[in-house]
Amino acid sequence: MQPIILNEPFRAVFYAPFYVAERRGLYARQGIEVRRDTAGDPSKAADNLLAGRADIAWSGPMRVILLHARDAACPLKSFAAVVMKDPFYLMGAAPRPGFTTRDLENLRLGAVAEVPTPWWCLQHDIREAGLDPEALAVTLGPSMAENAAALRDGRLDVAQMFEPFASQVEAAGGAVWQAAADRGPTAYTALYATEARIAERGDEFAAMIRAIGEALAWIASAEPAEIAATITPLFPDLPFPLLSRALTRYKAKQLWATDPRFPRIAFDRLRDSMASAGQLPRLPSFEECVDEAIVDRALAA
């Protein structure tokens, strides 16, 4: 059996279930060898799949929706739900009890620029709150780290970021004003591959899905410090207390799916947010973008 080449788009705390599957030997227990390779960004991971340089990757279903919207013949399919809530926060330099999305009307906002999905999703939240994102004082980027510094310096009122930046801001006296996870299900991370590769390596991918399912179940029962101890070798530059704190917050928000079945409601919220942001020339269906059958086969085995 040939090793499965798995592309990681970039290193992130909210990808913890994938790292748990690796570090706890869950792939090996399913009888497969998985070699993780860091692509550097989600678009490179998609390019690697299409070029055959990788067998499978994880990333936002956003990538598959976007490519299907542009080309109905796109061969990529998402499967195996992992992160099914939005992992981003709106952070302020000091606590602001009672904050609502409408309060952004009079604030200087630093939006995420490193990846597009969080800003697309927040724009949809803003429109649902009755505001026009184009009319707000928004700076896109330059980076979450730089926006954290701008918060401390008073150059921004509020900034959008994920962990560990949120916990770092909090440790410096800042506060969470809003957790995007509180909006409810939003499809944020799943496995994906080409239809040809799914057909070719379907049994091995099914084994991966079972391993991910084990990882999700373990995370649901484990303490955040235990999760942190498991994955900390993959975050050598992140102090253990900060990693544990970030995982504690994510677990409290029920960020991760409880099993690998893909919730349609989470897909719809992501797709509708992308459409609201003007990113989709057409609305691809759940069935076009998601392969439910391989997950059903995996979990029935």
Side-chain angles (χ1 to χ4, degrees), residues 64-72 74 279-284 289:
V64 175
I65 293 171
L66 190 63
L67 293 175
H68 273 275
R70 294 173 178 172
D71 179 6
C74 174
Q279 300 300 315
L280 302 181
R282 71 179 190 93
L283 291 181
C289 298

Side-chain angles (χ1 to χ4, degrees), residues 133-220:
E134 298 295 325
L136 303 184
V138 179
T139 301
L140 194 60
S143 72
M144 286 180 277
E146 289 167 301
N147 282 347
L151 273 183
R152 293 192 297 271
D153 297 343
R155 289 176 283 120
L156 288 175
D157 300 309
V158 56
Q160 186 187 29
M161 60 191 67
F162 62 25
E163 294 287 6
F165 299 105
S167 287
Q168 289 169 334
V169 167
E170 191 174 56
V176 174
W177 286 6
Q178 187 177 81
D182 290 341
R183 83 164 70 95
T186 305
Y188 232 84
T189 311
L191 293 172
Y192 70 125
T194 64
E195 292 175 295
R197 198 69 99 202
I198 292 170
E200 177 187 346
R201 309 202 71 171
D203 289 345
E204 295 153 277
F205 288 176
M208 284 188 71
I209 292 166
R210 289 191 292 274
I212 292 296
E214 285 189 61
L216 292 171
W218 182 80
I219 283 174

